[in-house]
Amino acid sequence: MGCWFSKKSKRKSPDKEATTTVEENTTTGNNISLSSNATEEPPKQYSWDKREKVDPKDFMLTGLKDATVGRLPGKLNGQQFVIQDCDNCKIFVLDHSATITIDDCTNCCIVMGPVKGSVFFRDCRDIKCVVACQQFRTRDCQKMEVFLCCATQPIIEASTGMKFGCFQYYYPELAFHFKDAGLSIFNNNWSNVHDFTPVSGETNWSLLPEDTVVLDHVPAPDPESEFKSVRVSAEASRSIVPMTKGGRRKESDESCLFVFFAGEYTTANARKLIDEASGKGFVLIQTKEVSMRPEDVSRVFQNNAEGLLEWITNGPVTALELNGDGVVEACKSMASEVFSGTKVFVSDNRNTSSRDVDNFFNFADMQMGL
């Protein structure tokens, strides 16, 4: 059991439309035509005529070497972007975009703001990057280090020497860019990589060490560059995306499911929980934000479903798996002491907590097609 704690006469001539004003002459009694003013209707304007003209060059970086380049916040505003044939460059795309393709690049460090669709690397090698996207894919790539936030399962194809870590990055506009791109900071499948072309006896991808420092691999913008005014940080405590353990081995056999139901402060509450739990030595394994129907509630929460049905009507739920010895009792205490006025579900005891975790995250993965 869990806890819930927009007149003048007009005559048309063959070549124009004229407006003629006729007045009565009071002396002679004759009708005198005083004026005939020709006017032409302005051409119609359509919505596409009013659009600002787009220069494709503003949305691509190509053939660059030894340069620090990119786009500042507000320069892309959801457009597609292309990076190609760059060598030894530091690239900062600090805005949200529709899709980004990266072709034939070598020895580059790349930071990408949230991408609504796909990020696709092709024929690249020696790349270190920070990426947030809906879909992530590589083909014919070698030696990449990727600090990733991906809403779906990352896919590599004919690629070798691929290393993955959890997204850890911050700049002031990043949270807004996540929202504009339609990405949830809680849906991150960074470690659930699918190798489309596995080779028997070889490992084409692995996870970076947990203590990896992002800025040691993907340096901050140079002080003399145009990006110097952007306050960038890669500290896990400041990262917009929570740092999760992902597919690495858990240190403890005890995990706890903690679910926040939709409310005004759901994201802030989830962050507070992570901070509280981390301060007590517990580890965040995974997170998910997903919508639920009444039948889903019954399946996932089982005996606790009846008291939770009314809470799913306001929007998606946010769930966290926390791990560590004594985590269940600690989470119950935090629910009652820190989140007493908040709609939550917490595993009730360690004997059923693993089942709670499996039920919820298996359901969430199915909902997201993972």
Side-chain angles (χ1 to χ4, degrees):
M1 178 176 177
C3 308
W4 302 263
F5 289 62
S6 163
K7 191 178 204 176
K8 297 177 180 180
S9 61
K10 293 185 178 181
R11 296 180 308 197
K12 290 184 179 179
S13 63
D15 60 340
K16 66 181 179 179
E17 183 173 308
T19 299
T20 305
T21 302
V22 181
E23 277 190 1
E24 182 76 16
N25 187 303
T26 57
T27 306
T28 63
N30 295 327
N31 290 332
I32 301 172
S33 179
L34 297 179
S35 64
S36 181
N37 299 324
T39 61
E40 293 185 3
E41 291 184 1
K44 288 184 177 179
Q45 274 199 325
Y46 298 94
S47 59
W48 51 83
D49 295 323
K50 300 177 184 179
R51 292 178 185 165
E52 186 178 345
K53 301 302 180 182
V54 173
D55 186 344
K57 292 181 181 178
D58 291 338
F59 302 96
M60 62 190 306
L61 297 171
T62 183
L64 300 172
K65 182 179 175 65
D66 303 327
T68 297
V69 292
R71 296 294 183 269
L72 288 165
K75 295 298 184 180
L76 294 184
N77 288 324
Q79 296 286 343
Q80 298 180 7
F81 200 71
V82 174
I83 303 170
Q84 60 186 19
D85 299 310
C86 292
D87 179 32
N88 195 37
C89 291
K90 295 178 182 178
I91 300 172
F92 298 90
V93 184
L94 305 180
D95 203 357
H96 67 102
S97 57
T99 63
I100 298 183
T101 56
I102 307 95
D103 295 325
D104 302 291
C105 290
T106 304
N107 194 31
C108 291
C109 292
I110 307 173
V111 174
M112 303 178 206
V115 182
K116 185 173 186 176
S118 65
V119 170
F120 198 178
F121 283 87
R122 298 176 293 195
D123 300 289
C124 295
R125 61 182 175 86
D126 295 308
I127 303 294
K128 299 176 181 180
C129 57
V130 176
V131 184
C133 58
Q134 177 74 19
Q135 301 175 332
F136 178 88
R137 188 171 179 180
T138 70
R139 190 175 68 200
D140 299 310
C141 293
Q142 301 174 22
K143 294 179 65 177
M144 288 182 60
E145 295 177 357
V146 186
F147 296 93
L148 181 64
C149 177
C150 186
T152 58
Q153 186 175 33
I155 295 175
I156 65 172
E157 179 182 358
S159 299
T160 61
M162 311 293 290
K163 297 182 179 181
F164 293 86
C166 184
F167 183 102
Q168 298 166 70
Y169 216 75
Y170 167 87
Y171 58 85
E173 298 85 358
L174 186 54
F176 298 104
H177 292 166
F178 262 92
K179 184 176 181 181
D180 291 337
L183 299 178
S184 169
I185 63 172
F186 297 110
N187 291 335
N188 186 6
N189 296 283
W190 68 271
S191 66
N192 185 21
V193 181
H194 176 66
D195 188 351
F196 197 72
T197 52
V199 178
S200 181
E202 297 183 13
T203 303
N204 294 324
W205 68 274
S206 62
L207 302 183
L208 288 161
E210 283 190 79
D211 59 356
T212 300
V213 178
V214 177
L215 294 184
D216 288 347
H217 298 255
V218 186
D222 300 327
E224 64 273 13
S225 76
E226 64 175 310
F227 306 99
K228 64 182 178 181
S229 62
V230 182
R231 293 183 288 111
V232 163
S233 173
E235 295 178 14
S237 60
R238 297 195 69 191
S239 177
I240 293 298
V241 176
M243 177 71 169
T244 54
K245 194 175 184 70
R248 300 188 181 100
R249 191 178 71 86
K250 299 175 186 179
E251 298 297 325
S252 171
D253 292 331
E254 183 178 347
S255 279
C256 180
L257 177 66
F258 201 117
V259 181
F260 288 96
F261 294 84
E264 190 174 356
Y265 304 107
T266 301
T267 298
N269 284 332
R271 288 189 172 282
K272 185 172 181 60
L273 173 64
I274 294 169
D275 291 342
E276 292 278 340
S278 298
K280 298 177 183 297
F282 300 115
V283 178
L284 181 64
I285 304 297
Q286 59 180 326
T287 62
K288 283 289 186 293
E289 182 179 355
V290 64
S291 295
M292 301 186 78
R293 301 167 299 180
E295 55 266 36
D296 299 326
V297 175
S298 299
R299 185 168 67 253
V300 172
F301 297 108
Q302 299 183 357
N303 295 335
N304 304 294
E306 186 176 350
L308 302 174
L309 286 173
E310 63 178 296
W311 293 359
I312 66 167
T313 59
N314 294 327
V317 302
T318 300
L320 305 87
E321 177 190 354
L322 293 157
N323 180 264
D325 292 341
V327 69
V328 172
E329 289 302 318
C331 283
K332 289 170 66 177
S333 295
M334 286 185 283
S336 62
E337 296 170 9
V338 183
F339 305 106
S340 59
T342 306
K343 300 175 181 178
V344 301
F345 169 90
V346 186
S347 293
D348 189 51
N349 64 77
R350 64 171 298 165
N351 296 325
T352 58
S353 60
S354 292
R355 184 191 66 191
D356 294 337
V357 170
D358 291 342
N359 284 349
F360 185 89
F361 287 100
N362 287 339
F363 156 75
D365 287 346
M366 288 179 62
Q367 285 291 100
M368 300 176 72
L370 298 174

